[in-house]
Amino acid sequence: MNEATTSAQDEVVRICQDLIRIDTSNYGDGSGPGEAEAAAYVVGQLREVGLEPEVFESDPGRVSVVVRIPGADRSRGALCLHGHLDVVPANAEDWRVDPFGGIERDGCIWGRGAV
């Protein structure tokens, strides 16, 4: 692997760990602690590479981030990639690692939402 590849992989690992460390548990009642914080983090990462994301809040704290990247051939159909920032709540006693630790072990990143 060349240095640029290693650097890009390190950045992907860091971003993944940063997001796991934000507790975005969704309890179904709007009380989740960190979904808006995770959205703000994603917005910052997108802006860092020159993109202009839009933010929509369907309910207080329930934030969606949308970014559009124009394709090279406007005559072709669009491609939509979709993901989510919230996770199902985790009971730390059920885990061998901190579910919001984002630790790297055995070549994998471990934490709630990592898989």
Side-chain angles (χ1 to χ4, degrees):
M1 244 186 289
N2 65 36
E3 189 174 317
T5 301
T6 302
S7 176
Q9 287 178 342
D10 291 344
E11 184 175 19
V12 169
V13 167
R14 178 189 55 78
I15 290 168
C16 182
Q17 290 174 312
D18 288 348
L19 283 169
I20 289 169
R21 290 174 179 145
I22 301 170
D23 183 353
T24 60
S25 296
N26 182 345
Y27 297 95
D29 62 2
S31 67
E35 197 171 347
E37 181 183 348
Y41 177 86
V42 169
V43 165
Q45 293 296 304
L46 292 169
R47 286 188 175 146
E48 187 177 299
V49 296
L51 298 172
E52 284 303 320
E54 296 178 72
V55 176
F56 301 92
E57 192 170 23
S58 59
D59 283 315
R62 299 299 323 263
V63 182
S64 295
V65 179
V66 176
V67 68
R68 297 171 192 258
I69 303 171
D73 183 351
R74 291 179 131 331
S75 69
R76 300 189 67 182
L79 172 65
C80 177
L81 301 175
H82 174 268
H84 62 94
L85 296 170
D86 63 331
V87 296
V88 174
N91 183 359
E93 292 79 33
D94 296 336
W95 288 69
R96 292 185 200 162
V97 298
D98 176 357
F100 299 103
I103 66 162
E104 187 173 0
R105 181 185 289 170
D106 302 324
C108 295
I109 304 300
W110 293 87
R112 187 47 134 183
V115 176

